[in-house]
Structures are given as structure tokens and as C-alpha cells.
Amino acid sequence: MYKFRILHPSTVTRLRLQPMMHGLVGILFLFNAIGAYHEPHPSYAMSGFFLVLGLVSVALPFVLRRFRNFTQVNTMARVFQAFACFSGSLYFLSHSKPDIAVLLLAVGIGVAYVGYAEHKIMQPAFAKLDMTGITLPTTFSEKLFPWTDLQNAVVRNDLFTVDFKNNKILQLEILDDLPATERDTINEYCQGRL
């Protein structure tokens, strides 16, 4: 059995969407600040809370890459944003605005889901080759691709390329530093199984 670390297949897509997601949640919080301010008896504390949280959420993508522990900061930001959505939902529900409360509840559930998915994607991912096939990570679990479904599998130039019989190709970046002898051994093993 061979096992090596790879870049998770969904990582590139998620990293492109993170700034947009933080920005959209931040804009929602800024609208909540306006909504909390424009009431018959405005709550300046809640308005200020949503204003600060909105500005921080909008600015977060620009400073997030500077943190050494990127994944922990991103996960904590998602947790705090989801908590703020849930507590904001309760606030607007207590002030007779159920439409805004339901919207915040839905956004909170969505942000919590996105945070969990990003947390799972940022965990180390491994490609495993054994007698049954190639096991690759998915968003929440792993998927086994049997050797009978594959046309070719090769490791070359720090890329693991899997060619399926249905004309689909999957290329994954290898994070481990594989010596040339180990790469040749993996390629010989793959050719022997196909």
C-alpha cells in the first residue's frame, strides 16, 4: 500500500470563494446595523456591534493571508459569524421582525456549514493506493475508485494524475517530497494494477 499527502481537490475553489463569503456576511452585518439603528427605540449597542462586526468581516479577507495559522483564524471567524447571525436572529425576533430573524437564521446555518466544510477541507489529505483501488478525499469523507474504473494513474512532476475510463481526468498536487525511486515504484505499481 502506498500513501502520500496531496492538496485537497476542493481547496483551490474554496480559497477563491473565502474572500467573497466573508465580504457578503460583512455586508449583511452592515445592513443589520442599519436595521437596528432605524427602529422607534434604537439599540445603539446592537447597532454598534453589527457595525464593528460588519467592518471586520469585510476587512478580514485582506488580512487573513498574513496570519501564520490561517485555517484556525478562518474557522474561528466563521464560528463567530455564525454565532452573531444566531444571536442577531433572536434580537430581531424579539423586536417583531420575523422576516429578518428567519433570514439571519438561514444565513447562520449556511455560514456554520461553510465553516465546517472549510475546516474539513483544510485538514491533511492523503491519496491511498492499495489492492482494491485508489482512495481519494472528498469534502466530508473518502471515495474509493476501483482499478477497473481507471485507465491510467501516474505520478509525474509533483502531480498525481488519475485518468478514468469515462474520459475524465483528475490531477492532484502532491505535497510530500517523493524521491524519484519512490515515484517510479508507485508508477510501476499503478501500471501493474491496471
Side-chain angles (χ1 to χ4, degrees), residues 4-118:
F4 48 88
R5 266 183 347 123
I6 58 172
L7 186 65
H8 198 285
S10 300
T11 303
V12 176
T13 305
R14 295 283 183 186
L15 289 177
R16 289 183 186 151
L17 292 177
Q18 277 179 348
M20 183 177 68
M21 288 294 296
H22 284 295
L24 289 173
V25 172
I27 290 170
L28 176 70
F29 288 148
L30 292 174
F31 282 127
N32 288 341
I34 294 169
Y37 181 75
H38 286 298
E39 289 185 358
H41 302 291
S43 173
Y44 297 114
M46 277 307 275
S47 182
F49 171 73
F50 281 127
L51 181 66
V52 169
L53 194 59
L55 292 175
V56 168
S57 293
V58 168
L60 189 63
F62 300 108
V63 296
L64 195 58
R65 304 266 184 229
R66 295 184 185 154
F67 290 106
R68 183 176 297 250
N69 51 358
F70 168 79
T71 57
Q72 289 86 5
V73 172
N74 185 59
T75 302
M76 289 309 297
R78 293 281 186 221
V79 167
F80 195 71
Q81 288 172 344
F83 175 75
C85 285
F86 293 142
S87 61
S89 175
L90 291 175
Y91 170 78
F92 283 111
L93 189 61
S94 68
H95 283 77
S96 300
K97 294 189 177 180
D99 51 344
I100 297 173
V102 170
L103 172 70
L104 280 176
L105 182 66
V107 169
I109 291 170
V111 168
Y113 171 76
V114 167
Y116 179 72
E118 286 174 349

